[in-house]
Amino acid sequence: KTLSRTRNVAVLAQTEQELLDAPARPRGARGGGHSSGRHSRAAVASASQTSQTRKRLASALRRLQVAGLRARGWSPLGDGLRRVYRRGRRAMPVATQPSSEQLHAWRRHVKRYWHLLETFEPVNPRRLRPCVRQARILSDVLGREHDLSLLEAKLKRREDRRSPTDARTLAKISQRRTKLARKALAIGRRLYAAKPRQIEADLRRDWERWMARRRA
């Protein structure tokens, strides 16, 4: 959150550049054709927040190092898995044309589930690797939709000085956001098709077999 402004400035510039069909840097790279001037100054200015970010990360690390587990075995793992999966399933929009706010809220739960699956992948890579990949793709699609919604809001705010290029860009944004939302919902229906109890039961079986092999 501390560095979100820096991230948004860089991503907005890159997203606008991609929509204009200009040569773009790889996704995630800072800067771009439109990141000069005001954009780059804003990104550099927010670098002063890195000190605060470092302190927060160090504090989080200290808390994790002294954190104690109150329970062992599958029980706490299953409870956490079920909770994360259920929240993501419930957050999935039911409307065919969901708002960007709904999709962005859903993405937070998708990312938690994605990283949880990554943690458990070693217990059954053959079964879980496709699930991890599906969750990662879904998170990426939702992230691109959110980037476009931020750019759309930015262009709409400068209505009094909007150029013909801005109008064409807004049209492209609308089309792409619609496609991305449809793609996200299609992936989400597959990823969240099963009931939470079934997801937990399948993973518990994988985990118990993995633990038995480790003990052997």
Side-chain angles (χ1 to χ4, degrees):
K1 288 182 179 179
T2 308
L3 299 175
S4 62
R5 175 175 169 79
T6 306
R7 182 260 180 200
N8 287 344
V9 167
V11 169
L12 282 177
Q14 181 176 339
T15 302
E16 187 171 3
Q17 183 182 44
E18 290 170 353
L19 286 169
L20 294 172
D21 296 323
R25 299 186 184 187
R27 183 170 180 78
R30 293 183 59 173
H34 289 263
S35 62
S36 59
R38 179 171 54 85
H39 290 304
S40 60
R41 284 196 298 274
V44 171
S46 63
S48 62
Q49 298 167 341
T50 54
S51 176
Q52 183 182 9
T53 302
R54 288 175 190 271
K55 291 178 181 178
R56 289 181 176 180
L57 288 172
S59 175
L61 179 60
R62 286 194 297 270
R63 291 198 302 272
L64 286 170
Q65 288 172 333
V66 300
L69 294 175
R70 294 189 298 272
R72 299 281 178 174
W74 175 256
S75 179
L77 301 176
D79 289 345
L81 168 68
R82 208 166 52 247
R83 188 181 308 115
V84 169
Y85 180 83
R86 183 184 293 115
R87 288 175 178 174
R89 199 167 187 253
R90 289 176 176 174
M92 183 169 61
V94 295
T96 55
Q97 293 182 328
S99 68
S100 184
E101 290 76 15
Q102 290 175 313
L103 293 173
H104 187 51
W106 182 31
R107 184 181 181 231
R108 297 190 186 101
H109 297 288
V110 171
K111 288 185 71 174
R112 292 187 185 108
Y113 185 48
W114 163 28
H115 294 309
L116 186 150
L117 286 173
E118 281 186 318
T119 303
F120 280 100
E121 185 181 339
V123 305
N124 190 343
R126 180 177 297 180
R127 188 179 78 83
L128 293 175
R129 189 169 292 131
C131 300
V132 172
R133 181 175 180 274
Q134 201 171 47
R136 177 184 58 76
I137 292 173
L138 176 55
S139 177
D140 184 60
V141 170
L142 291 171
R144 281 185 280 152
E145 196 283 335
H146 180 62
D147 293 342
L148 287 170
S149 73
L150 291 177
L151 179 58
E152 183 179 58
K154 171 195 161 190
L155 294 177
K156 286 182 176 179
R157 283 196 297 270
R158 63 189 193 198
E159 183 175 1
D160 57 332
R161 48 193 175 86
R162 192 180 300 166
S163 67
T165 301
D166 288 346
R168 290 193 296 270
T169 302
L170 282 168
K172 286 185 180 181
I173 289 174
S174 179
Q175 294 173 358
R176 291 199 183 185
R177 285 186 60 199
T178 298
K179 289 180 180 179
L180 289 170
R182 288 174 180 169
K183 184 176 181 179
L185 291 174
I187 298 172
R189 292 187 193 104
R190 295 193 297 271
L191 185 65
Y192 289 100
K195 297 289 182 63
R197 293 275 179 190
Q198 185 61 51
I199 292 293
E200 181 196 354
D202 291 343
L203 195 50
R204 179 174 186 171
R205 183 173 59 252
D206 292 334
W207 182 80
E208 288 177 344
R209 289 173 178 172
W210 179 74
M211 289 293 289
R213 290 195 299 270
R214 285 173 59 86
R215 285 192 293 269

